[in-house]
Amino acid sequence: MFDAIVNGLSGLGAGLVEMHWSNPVMIAVGGLLLYLAIKKDVEPLLLIPIGFGAILINIPLAGLMEEEGFLRTIYNMGVANELFPLLIFIGIGAMTDFGPLLEDPKIFLLGAAGQFGMFLTLGLALLFGFSKLDSVAIGVIGACDGPTAIYVTSKFAPHLLGAVSVAAYSYMSLVPVIQPPIMRLLTTEKERTIVMDTGDTKPVSKEARIAFPIVITVIGGLIAPKGLPLLATIMLGNLMRESGVVGRLAKASENEIANVVTLLLGISIGATMDGRLFLKGETLLILAFGFLAICLDTVCGVLFGKLMNLVTGGKINPLIGAAGISAYPMAARVAQREGLKYNKFNFLLMHAIGANTGGQVGSVMAAAIMLSVLQGMGLVP
Amino acid sequence: MGNLEFGLTMIVVGMGGTMIVLGLFAVLMALLKKVFPNREDEAAE
């Protein structure tokens, strides 16, 4: 009887006995993510479930990520098969107005330049000894697009999912801090004061708005079929929005579905942050590369904006080049704010929004091209 | 395939491919606007 009581008591507090040094550190990291989300308003929708998931997974013996564990069930349900990021993309498509981009289609090119950081960072990660597929996952942080980063990483480097996701979402929210010094460094005061003309842009017809997602899906899918799920889901959401006949589906996609999936996605990502696997020098390097990727995106975007300024005879304000990334609408607001600092009557917002939505399509297309090139090389099935 | 070859291929094809495809999209959008003009524009013309 006494033995039974002792054995029974030994089960209590077993988690404490089994704790590895990395577990309390990661519980503190989870706490830090919660602090950033709650007190500093840094991507709270994602960082609260991620932070809480990180805390849960670092409590030993709970078995949450074992075969029957509830976090493993959620992970298998939507992260391992890449379903969750795709569902979020439908919501993003449903809430994005591509109108400003369609009004001035040449702005699309800024959305391409804003993705160059992805590829340059991929090259740097290879130089630092990461494997090819790990480098692809690290580079894709530069898409400044959480769902794309999660989609690619869960497909090719699931062991890096926690680090890549945290880097992608954290830096995305730090865009207003990261971008302005680079924008100022690369532009002259004269360039920053350029007022962009809106006279030659015309409103787009409803038919063109409806045709846009269909054409982009078909052409983009034919060019880079491996990335079709990414492109198709964002365009499906946008088609529902622009068609105007499935308001309930569009609203559900951008609200209920996106909210539920965000919760499940966040907690699953947190569940990959087991201290024994997460606390490595590699993780710090990934965080550093993520920062670099976003800086390089900004550099390439602004430089391409300068080139477009040259080609158009001074009609483009290079500041909007920085908005050619996918962080929507933060990057556009940053361009608008910087423009206003140097000319109180310079309203760049609509142009920057155009570049920003171009960056959303650009990030998806860049990832699609990346995946299709990998397939072409025979590195992925 | 070595890392150097892989990295350079991804950089060249990736950056070039993204730019070309988005350039193509821009052209397609301009065409779409021509095929489906805004009715107010048509009326004005």
Side-chain angles (χ1 to χ4, degrees):
Chain A
M1 178 67 187
F2 179 73
D3 286 346
I5 291 172
V6 170
N7 288 339
L9 285 175
S10 68
L12 297 176
L16 205 60
V17 179
E18 287 297 316
M19 216 171 220
H20 184 256
W21 67 267
S22 62
N23 295 133
V25 176
M26 286 308 294
I27 289 173
V29 170
L32 176 68
L33 295 179
L34 293 178
Y35 171 79
L36 289 173
I38 296 165
K39 282 285 181 190
K40 302 290 177 187
D41 202 30
V42 176
E43 294 289 334
L45 290 175
L46 250 302
L47 288 196
I48 284 186
I50 291 178
F52 202 75
I55 290 173
L56 288 182
I57 200 61
N58 283 287
I59 296 173
L61 299 179
L64 301 180
M65 275 300 263
E66 284 168 15
E67 207 46 52
E68 301 292 321
F70 100 96
L71 291 180
R72 172 62 66 187
T73 305
I74 298 173
Y75 183 89
N76 288 344
M77 200 166 71
V79 178
N81 57 16
E82 301 115 33
L83 178 67
F84 287 162
L86 297 178
L87 289 175
I88 288 191
F89 261 135
I90 299 179
I92 291 174
M95 62 181 90
T96 303
D97 178 7
F98 287 107
L101 178 65
L102 294 174
E103 284 172 17
D104 191 6
K106 66 176 178 294
I107 296 292
F108 240 129
L109 295 175
L110 290 172
Q115 314 309 320
F116 286 179
M118 272 170 79
F119 299 101
L120 297 172
T121 308
L122 183 159
L124 284 172
L126 282 169
L127 285 178
F128 273 74
F130 283 96
S131 73
K132 294 184 180 81
L133 293 182
D134 284 3
S135 301
V136 167
I138 293 166
V140 91
I141 300 172
C144 275
D145 181 344
T148 301
I150 293 165
Y151 180 87
V152 174
T153 308
S154 56
K155 212 172 177 69
F156 301 124
H159 57 287
L160 300 183
L161 189 61
V164 168
S165 310
V166 169
Y169 280 104
S170 309
Y171 294 138
M172 227 164 74
S173 64
L174 289 176
V175 157
V177 181
I178 296 172
Q179 284 198 320
I182 300 172
M183 293 159 80
R184 279 178 231 136
L185 189 72
L186 296 176
T187 52
T188 62
E189 190 162 339
K190 192 180 166 199
E191 285 172 332
R192 282 174 236 145
T193 56
I194 293 174
V195 177
M196 287 182 67
D197 188 17
T198 51
D200 54 352
T201 58
K202 294 173 182 169
V204 183
S205 67
K206 185 175 169 63
E207 291 82 357
R209 282 171 174 267
I210 291 173
F212 168 76
I214 303 169
V215 171
I216 294 290
T217 303
V218 174
I219 303 294
L222 289 171
I223 294 171
K226 196 76 182 158
L228 185 59
L230 291 170
L231 194 60
T233 44
I234 195 168
M235 290 301 151
L236 169 64
N238 192 249
L239 177 62
M240 293 195 295
R241 170 197 171 96
E242 297 299 346
S243 71
V245 293
V246 283
R248 280 167 54 192
L249 292 186
K251 286 268 173 262
S253 300
E254 66 179 280
N255 296 306
E256 291 85 355
I257 296 175
N259 289 342
V260 171
V261 173
T262 300
L263 169 63
L264 297 178
L265 182 66
I267 201 162
S268 314
I269 291 168
T272 65
M273 295 168 68
D274 184 332
R276 293 170 207 240
L277 307 171
F278 193 85
L279 283 183
K280 293 186 283 194
E282 184 183 67
T283 305
L284 286 178
L285 262 180
I286 291 170
L287 295 177
F289 277 127
F291 178 76
L292 190 66
I294 291 175
C295 292
L296 287 172
D297 282 341
T298 309
V299 169
C300 294
V302 174
L303 290 180
F304 197 79
K306 283 170 83 91
L307 179 68
M308 283 184 78
N309 172 275
L310 201 68
V311 173
T312 58
K315 288 183 181 168
I316 301 276
N317 187 320
L319 289 177
I320 68 163
I325 60 173
S326 186
Y328 178 85
M330 286 96 81
R333 285 194 192 132
V334 170
Q336 155 82 350
R337 207 179 54 217
E338 286 300 306
L340 275 177
K341 269 187 200 166
Y342 298 91
N343 178 352
K344 275 191 281 185
F345 304 102
N346 195 1
F347 296 98
L348 295 172
L349 190 62
M350 286 318 282
H351 302 284
I353 288 275
N356 210 178
T357 50
Q360 284 190 307
V361 178
S363 70
V364 168
M365 212 52 233
I369 288 171
M370 215 178 219
L371 298 180
S372 293
V373 172
L374 287 175
Q375 190 183 32
M377 288 174 172
L379 289 173
V380 298
Chain B
M1 180 185 283
N3 275 2
L4 183 67
E5 195 184 347
F6 172 75
L8 287 175
T9 308
M10 289 302 283
I11 289 172
V12 172
V13 180
M15 286 166 51
T18 306
M19 188 54 80
I20 290 169
V21 173
L22 264 68
L24 175 67
F25 286 174
V27 173
L28 286 171
M29 289 316 100
L31 282 176
L32 272 182
K33 285 170 67 177
K34 294 254 185 239
V35 175
F36 302 110
N38 193 315
R39 290 201 182 90
E40 286 172 19
D41 294 346
E42 271 184 334
E45 281 168 21

